[in-house]
């Protein structure tokens, strides 16, 4: 009797995580971008307006249209990066987007729109900080042909109208790095 219960418990333990994962679906309402996102990048306060306008150029010209040759207009040389996949410094972030991500330039550069996959939801500014909330469309782990939406954020601290520091919720990929996995395979 005990062995049957033990086998049943082991079988349940092995199937429950897969069953639970198969049932995982977003319960939240979809994230909907603002109908006129560029209108969110203004303020009656001249300093907040300058910073929001710089954030607009970062979001549109750099992140959407990949005009990284213009990055020095909107980012300081020391640009402190808190995203773990890109280095600090103007050269580091430009290198990431042009050499690692290899994002092609969009020319002409269209304005931000509600149809953008990472459409802007909201923009807030306080003091030297501007935060942009955007929609993220994420594939389900068990069926990448289906997706759900969630919210991403980017926050910048501005100095004299240029972004000097950046935060977002990026994390490092899980699992071994491809090079580390190859090295492990060669040693074995």
């Amino acid at each position: 009797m005990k062995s049957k219960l033990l086998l049943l418990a082991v079988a349940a333990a092995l199937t429950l995580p897969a069953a639970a994962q198969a049932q995982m679906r977003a319960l939240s309402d979809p994230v909907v971008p603002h109908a006129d996102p560029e209108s969110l990048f203004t303020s009656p306060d001249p300093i907040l307006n300058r910073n929001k306008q710089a954030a607009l150029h970062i979001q549109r010209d750099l992140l959407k249209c990949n005009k990284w040759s213009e990055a020095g207009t909107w980012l300081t040389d020391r640009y402190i990066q808190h995203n773990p996949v890109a280095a600090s410094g103007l050269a580091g972030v430009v290198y990431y987007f042009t050499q690692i991500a290899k994002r092609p330039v969009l020319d002409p550069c269209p304005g931000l729109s509600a149809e953008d996959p990472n459409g802007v939801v909201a923009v807030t500014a306080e003091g030297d900080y501007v935060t942009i909330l955007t929609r993220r469309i994420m594939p389900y782990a068990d069926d990448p042909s289906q997706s759900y939406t969630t919210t991403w954020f980017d926050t910048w601290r501005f100095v004299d109208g240029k972004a000097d520091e950046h935060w977002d919720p990026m994390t490092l990929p899980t699992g071994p790095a491809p090079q580390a996995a190859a090295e492990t395979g060669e040693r074995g």
Side-chain angles (χ1 to χ4, degrees):
M1 180 70 168
K2 282 185 181 180
S3 63
K4 285 184 181 181
L5 287 175
L6 181 60
L7 286 174
L8 189 57
V10 168
L14 292 174
T15 58
L16 282 178
Q21 186 178 20
Q23 297 298 316
M24 292 297 293
R25 288 294 181 260
L27 301 176
S28 58
D29 287 342
V31 176
V32 179
H34 192 276
D36 182 14
E38 294 202 13
S39 70
L40 301 173
F41 292 87
T42 62
S43 174
D45 178 286
I47 301 297
L48 295 181
N49 191 68
R50 177 186 68 184
N51 293 344
K52 282 181 140 186
Q53 286 294 295
L56 168 62
H57 285 283
I58 293 167
Q59 186 71 23
R60 183 186 58 213
D61 302 343
L62 302 183
L63 296 173
K64 178 176 181 172
C65 295
N66 305 302
K67 293 185 172 187
W68 289 98
S69 62
E70 300 174 10
T73 305
W74 310 112
L75 310 177
T76 65
D77 286 338
R78 81 176 197 140
Y79 190 67
I80 302 165
Q81 180 63 268
H82 298 292
N83 177 316
V85 301
S88 287
L90 177 61
V93 73
V94 169
Y95 179 83
Y96 173 76
F97 281 102
T98 61
Q99 303 304 310
I100 306 298
K102 296 188 186 260
R103 304 274 309 270
V105 175
L106 295 180
D107 193 17
C109 182
L112 300 178
S113 78
E115 288 74 39
D116 291 341
N118 64 333
V120 174
V121 174
V123 178
T124 60
E126 184 69 35
D128 295 332
Y129 296 87
V130 175
T131 298
I132 301 175
L133 300 176
T134 56
R135 169 183 61 190
R136 277 288 158 111
I137 301 171
M138 303 297 294
Y140 282 110
D142 66 331
D143 184 357
S145 69
Q146 295 184 27
S147 60
Y148 63 97
T149 60
T150 189
T151 309
W152 184 266
F153 78 87
D154 285 284
T155 298
W156 290 275
R157 183 180 53 76
F158 287 86
V159 173
D160 298 326
K162 289 186 176 188
D164 190 56
E165 193 166 9
H166 170 257
W167 296 263
D168 67 26
M170 178 63 82
T171 60
L172 292 174
T174 58
Q179 183 177 12
E183 289 173 5
T184 304
E186 290 173 333
R187 289 183 196 156

